[in-house]
Amino acid sequence: LMQFPIVTGPPATAVFFAISQKIYDDELWDAQELWQQFRRLFFPSWRWALPNLLLALVIVGNFYAYRTFEGNLWIALRLLWGMLALAWVVLNIHFWPFWLAQQDKSLKTTYQNVFRFFLLHPWTVITLLCFTAVMTFTSLFYVLPLVIGGVGCIVMLLITAVHTSLSTTPQGSSSN
């Protein structure tokens, strides 16, 4: 429900990942902790969301502004914008598991770690992206799977992938 108001959307996303992280770590949590996490993650989540909103506006605006242009150059440019948008989505679905797992909570460090994860484990990233796409597409037609556990399943898979990667990566090779 907290995803519906625009102001609470990014913090609700961050809290969902934070609570899922606690579940992954077999830690107990209660409803009061949701509000504590919400307050703690409010500004960091908006520092993450604002560049994403800006980039989404640029990409959507670019597709819209040049939608009537024809020719191979414009097709190639649309393909490039689409690939950049997909890469940005891939980076962002892994953002919160890395942000929560690292000590340095900066955007730059988090995106560096996510990019490194993508380079070191491309098949894992592609598999997770495909699973996420299938779950999202399925949920467009069947809302119940999304509500019951699709998003939670996706979040737990992302957290598991990040923790597996961090546990197998030599200590000196990450930027956290």
Side-chain angles (χ1 to χ4, degrees), residues 29-48:
W29 60 276
D30 58 20
Q32 183 179 0
E33 188 170 352
L34 292 172
W35 295 110
Q36 292 169 349
Q37 292 285 350
F38 186 85
R39 285 190 301 272
R40 180 179 78 87
L41 295 171
F42 188 86
F43 290 111
S45 66
W46 272 104
R47 276 195 307 273
W48 162 76

mmCIF file of all heavy atoms in Angstrom, residues 29-48:
data_model
loop_
_atom_site.group_PDB
_atom_site.id
_atom_site.type_symbol
_atom_site.label_atom_id
_atom_site.label_comp_id
_atom_site.label_asym_id
_atom_site.label_seq_id
_atom_site.Cartn_x
_atom_site.Cartn_y
_atom_site.Cartn_z
ATOM 1 N N TRP A 29 11.860 -9.740 13.390
ATOM 2 C CA TRP A 29 11.487 -8.339 13.241
ATOM 3 C C TRP A 29 10.019 -8.212 13.623
ATOM 4 O O TRP A 29 9.283 -9.189 13.640
ATOM 5 C CB TRP A 29 11.744 -7.835 11.824
ATOM 6 C CG TRP A 29 10.982 -8.566 10.773
ATOM 7 C CD1 TRP A 29 11.329 -9.737 10.160
ATOM 8 C CD2 TRP A 29 9.719 -8.193 10.218
ATOM 9 N NE1 TRP A 29 10.377 -10.113 9.261
ATOM 10 C CE2 TRP A 29 9.366 -9.185 9.276
ATOM 11 C CE3 TRP A 29 8.860 -7.127 10.416
ATOM 12 C CZ2 TRP A 29 8.197 -9.137 8.543
ATOM 13 C CZ3 TRP A 29 7.684 -7.077 9.683
ATOM 14 C CH2 TRP A 29 7.370 -8.071 8.754
ATOM 15 N N ASP A 30 9.610 -6.996 13.943
ATOM 16 C CA ASP A 30 8.214 -6.751 14.291
ATOM 17 C C ASP A 30 7.700 -5.539 13.524
ATOM 18 O O ASP A 30 8.455 -4.849 12.842
ATOM 19 C CB ASP A 30 8.026 -6.572 15.802
ATOM 20 C CG ASP A 30 8.852 -5.436 16.376
ATOM 21 O OD1 ASP A 30 9.273 -4.542 15.622
ATOM 22 O OD2 ASP A 30 9.079 -5.437 17.598
ATOM 23 N N ALA A 31 6.417 -5.289 13.647
ATOM 24 C CA ALA A 31 5.791 -4.203 12.888
ATOM 25 C C ALA A 31 6.382 -2.843 13.233
ATOM 26 O O ALA A 31 6.479 -1.970 12.361
ATOM 27 C CB ALA A 31 4.283 -4.197 13.121
ATOM 28 N N GLN A 32 6.777 -2.650 14.470
ATOM 29 C CA GLN A 32 7.370 -1.366 14.864
ATOM 30 C C GLN A 32 8.660 -1.102 14.089
ATOM 31 O O GLN A 32 8.976 0.026 13.755
ATOM 32 C CB GLN A 32 7.636 -1.358 16.362
ATOM 33 C CG GLN A 32 8.175 -0.041 16.863
ATOM 34 C CD GLN A 32 8.401 -0.055 18.370
ATOM 35 O OE1 GLN A 32 8.155 -1.051 19.037
ATOM 36 N NE2 GLN A 32 8.882 1.046 18.893
ATOM 37 N N GLU A 33 9.373 -2.159 13.796
ATOM 38 C CA GLU A 33 10.628 -1.997 13.055
ATOM 39 C C GLU A 33 10.386 -1.495 11.631
ATOM 40 O O GLU A 33 11.253 -0.839 11.041
ATOM 41 C CB GLU A 33 11.396 -3.318 13.025
ATOM 42 C CG GLU A 33 12.766 -3.156 12.436
ATOM 43 C CD GLU A 33 13.623 -4.377 12.607
ATOM 44 O OE1 GLU A 33 13.230 -5.317 13.307
ATOM 45 O OE2 GLU A 33 14.710 -4.377 12.012
ATOM 46 N N LEU A 34 9.219 -1.797 11.063
ATOM 47 C CA LEU A 34 8.906 -1.286 9.732
ATOM 48 C C LEU A 34 8.991 0.235 9.708
ATOM 49 O O LEU A 34 9.558 0.819 8.783
ATOM 50 C CB LEU A 34 7.511 -1.736 9.299
ATOM 51 C CG LEU A 34 7.327 -3.220 9.038
ATOM 52 C CD1 LEU A 34 5.853 -3.527 8.807
ATOM 53 C CD2 LEU A 34 8.157 -3.669 7.860
ATOM 54 N N TRP A 35 8.424 0.887 10.719
ATOM 55 C CA TRP A 35 8.436 2.349 10.769
ATOM 56 C C TRP A 35 9.834 2.880 11.074
ATOM 57 O O TRP A 35 10.222 3.921 10.550
ATOM 58 C CB TRP A 35 7.417 2.868 11.784
ATOM 59 C CG TRP A 35 6.032 2.518 11.349
ATOM 60 C CD1 TRP A 35 5.189 1.612 11.922
ATOM 61 C CD2 TRP A 35 5.354 3.020 10.201
ATOM 62 N NE1 TRP A 35 4.026 1.532 11.202
ATOM 63 C CE2 TRP A 35 4.086 2.382 10.141
ATOM 64 C CE3 TRP A 35 5.672 3.942 9.209
ATOM 65 C CZ2 TRP A 35 3.162 2.650 9.145
ATOM 66 C CZ3 TRP A 35 4.739 4.204 8.218
ATOM 67 C CH2 TRP A 35 3.509 3.565 8.191
ATOM 68 N N GLN A 36 10.586 2.166 11.904
ATOM 69 C CA GLN A 36 11.971 2.581 12.166
ATOM 70 C C GLN A 36 12.796 2.507 10.878
ATOM 71 O O GLN A 36 13.559 3.425 10.572
ATOM 72 C CB GLN A 36 12.600 1.695 13.242
ATOM 73 C CG GLN A 36 12.001 1.878 14.614
ATOM 74 C CD GLN A 36 12.453 0.800 15.585
ATOM 75 O OE1 GLN A 36 13.055 -0.204 15.211
ATOM 76 N NE2 GLN A 36 12.140 1.001 16.858
ATOM 77 N N GLN A 37 12.633 1.415 10.154
ATOM 78 C CA GLN A 37 13.343 1.272 8.876
ATOM 79 C C GLN A 37 12.868 2.324 7.873
ATOM 80 O O GLN A 37 13.667 2.872 7.116
ATOM 81 C CB GLN A 37 13.123 -0.134 8.291
ATOM 82 C CG GLN A 37 13.773 -1.238 9.066
ATOM 83 C CD GLN A 37 15.267 -1.288 8.854
ATOM 84 O OE1 GLN A 37 15.830 -0.618 7.995
ATOM 85 N NE2 GLN A 37 15.931 -2.085 9.663
ATOM 86 N N PHE A 38 11.577 2.601 7.875
ATOM 87 C CA PHE A 38 11.026 3.604 6.967
ATOM 88 C C PHE A 38 11.691 4.956 7.211
ATOM 89 O O PHE A 38 12.112 5.633 6.274
ATOM 90 C CB PHE A 38 9.503 3.703 7.147
ATOM 91 C CG PHE A 38 8.835 4.600 6.156
ATOM 92 C CD1 PHE A 38 8.461 4.122 4.916
ATOM 93 C CD2 PHE A 38 8.591 5.936 6.451
ATOM 94 C CE1 PHE A 38 7.837 4.945 3.989
ATOM 95 C CE2 PHE A 38 7.973 6.768 5.532
ATOM 96 C CZ PHE A 38 7.590 6.270 4.298
ATOM 97 N N ARG A 39 11.792 5.349 8.476
ATOM 98 C CA ARG A 39 12.429 6.637 8.810
ATOM 99 C C ARG A 39 13.926 6.606 8.476
ATOM 100 O O ARG A 39 14.470 7.572 7.943
ATOM 101 C CB ARG A 39 12.221 6.973 10.285
ATOM 102 C CG ARG A 39 10.813 7.439 10.601
ATOM 103 C CD ARG A 39 10.691 8.004 12.005
ATOM 104 N NE ARG A 39 11.048 7.051 13.037
ATOM 105 C CZ ARG A 39 10.210 6.178 13.605
ATOM 106 N NH1 ARG A 39 8.956 6.131 13.214
ATOM 107 N NH2 ARG A 39 10.624 5.356 14.533
ATOM 108 N N ARG A 40 14.591 5.505 8.764
ATOM 109 C CA ARG A 40 16.026 5.393 8.515
ATOM 110 C C ARG A 40 16.340 5.426 7.013
ATOM 111 O O ARG A 40 17.348 6.005 6.593
ATOM 112 C CB ARG A 40 16.554 4.089 9.126
ATOM 113 C CG ARG A 40 18.040 3.850 8.929
ATOM 114 C CD ARG A 40 18.490 2.565 9.587
ATOM 115 N NE ARG A 40 18.151 1.385 8.822
ATOM 116 C CZ ARG A 40 18.914 0.868 7.864
ATOM 117 N NH1 ARG A 40 20.051 1.435 7.539
ATOM 118 N NH2 ARG A 40 18.534 -0.216 7.224
ATOM 119 N N LEU A 41 15.483 4.827 6.223
ATOM 120 C CA LEU A 41 15.758 4.688 4.788
ATOM 121 C C LEU A 41 15.070 5.737 3.923
ATOM 122 O O LEU A 41 15.230 5.720 2.700
ATOM 123 C CB LEU A 41 15.344 3.284 4.326
ATOM 124 C CG LEU A 41 16.138 2.138 4.941
ATOM 125 C CD1 LEU A 41 15.512 0.800 4.596
ATOM 126 C CD2 LEU A 41 17.589 2.199 4.505
ATOM 127 N N PHE A 42 14.328 6.664 4.527
ATOM 128 C CA PHE A 42 13.575 7.636 3.741
ATOM 129 C C PHE A 42 14.483 8.450 2.821
ATOM 130 O O PHE A 42 14.279 8.480 1.600
ATOM 131 C CB PHE A 42 12.767 8.569 4.653
ATOM 132 C CG PHE A 42 11.837 9.456 3.892
ATOM 133 C CD1 PHE A 42 10.571 9.015 3.555
ATOM 134 C CD2 PHE A 42 12.221 10.733 3.486
ATOM 135 C CE1 PHE A 42 9.703 9.824 2.827
ATOM 136 C CE2 PHE A 42 11.359 11.544 2.762
ATOM 137 C CZ PHE A 42 10.095 11.083 2.436
ATOM 138 N N PHE A 43 15.493 9.115 3.370
ATOM 139 C CA PHE A 43 16.360 9.963 2.542
ATOM 140 C C PHE A 43 17.300 9.155 1.645
ATOM 141 O O PHE A 43 17.466 9.512 0.466
ATOM 142 C CB PHE A 43 17.116 10.974 3.405
ATOM 143 C CG PHE A 43 16.199 12.036 3.968
ATOM 144 C CD1 PHE A 43 15.931 12.083 5.321
ATOM 145 C CD2 PHE A 43 15.577 12.950 3.142
ATOM 146 C CE1 PHE A 43 15.068 13.036 5.841
ATOM 147 C CE2 PHE A 43 14.714 13.911 3.641
ATOM 148 C CZ PHE A 43 14.460 13.956 5.001
ATOM 149 N N PRO A 44 17.911 8.055 2.142
ATOM 150 C CA PRO A 44 18.728 7.257 1.208
ATOM 151 C C PRO A 44 17.921 6.722 0.018
ATOM 152 O O PRO A 44 18.428 6.669 -1.100
ATOM 153 C CB PRO A 44 19.243 6.108 2.074
ATOM 154 C CG PRO A 44 19.235 6.635 3.452
ATOM 155 C CD PRO A 44 18.062 7.577 3.524
ATOM 156 N N SER A 45 16.669 6.359 0.270
ATOM 157 C CA SER A 45 15.866 5.821 -0.839
ATOM 158 C C SER A 45 15.535 6.910 -1.857
ATOM 159 O O SER A 45 15.480 6.643 -3.059
ATOM 160 C CB SER A 45 14.592 5.167 -0.307
ATOM 161 O OG SER A 45 13.742 6.120 0.273
ATOM 162 N N TRP A 46 15.330 8.130 -1.382
ATOM 163 C CA TRP A 46 15.070 9.220 -2.329
ATOM 164 C C TRP A 46 16.338 9.643 -3.061
ATOM 165 O O TRP A 46 16.280 10.073 -4.212
ATOM 166 C CB TRP A 46 14.386 10.404 -1.647
ATOM 167 C CG TRP A 46 12.910 10.213 -1.682
ATOM 168 C CD1 TRP A 46 12.096 9.826 -0.663
ATOM 169 C CD2 TRP A 46 12.083 10.347 -2.835
ATOM 170 N NE1 TRP A 46 10.807 9.720 -1.110
ATOM 171 C CE2 TRP A 46 10.757 10.039 -2.443
ATOM 172 C CE3 TRP A 46 12.308 10.702 -4.151
ATOM 173 C CZ2 TRP A 46 9.686 10.068 -3.323
ATOM 174 C CZ3 TRP A 46 11.238 10.732 -5.029
ATOM 175 C CH2 TRP A 46 9.952 10.420 -4.613
ATOM 176 N N ARG A 47 17.515 9.488 -2.433
ATOM 177 C CA ARG A 47 18.780 9.740 -3.154
ATOM 178 C C ARG A 47 18.946 8.722 -4.277
ATOM 179 O O ARG A 47 19.570 9.002 -5.296
ATOM 180 C CB ARG A 47 19.977 9.682 -2.205
ATOM 181 C CG ARG A 47 20.230 10.973 -1.483
ATOM 182 C CD ARG A 47 21.605 11.033 -0.840
ATOM 183 N NE ARG A 47 21.908 9.913 0.022
ATOM 184 C CZ ARG A 47 21.609 9.832 1.320
ATOM 185 N NH1 ARG A 47 20.996 10.821 1.905
ATOM 186 N NH2 ARG A 47 21.935 8.777 2.015
ATOM 187 N N TRP A 48 18.402 7.538 -4.087
ATOM 188 C CA TRP A 48 18.422 6.517 -5.134
ATOM 189 C C TRP A 48 17.336 6.792 -6.172
ATOM 190 O O TRP A 48 17.565 6.631 -7.375
ATOM 191 C CB TRP A 48 18.226 5.141 -4.485
ATOM 192 C CG TRP A 48 17.817 4.053 -5.411
ATOM 193 C CD1 TRP A 48 18.615 3.395 -6.308
ATOM 194 C CD2 TRP A 48 16.515 3.475 -5.553
ATOM 195 N NE1 TRP A 48 17.885 2.450 -6.993
ATOM 196 C CE2 TRP A 48 16.587 2.476 -6.538
ATOM 197 C CE3 TRP A 48 15.288 3.708 -4.936
ATOM 198 C CZ2 TRP A 48 15.509 1.711 -6.923
ATOM 199 C CZ3 TRP A 48 14.202 2.940 -5.312
ATOM 200 C CH2 TRP A 48 14.323 1.963 -6.291
#
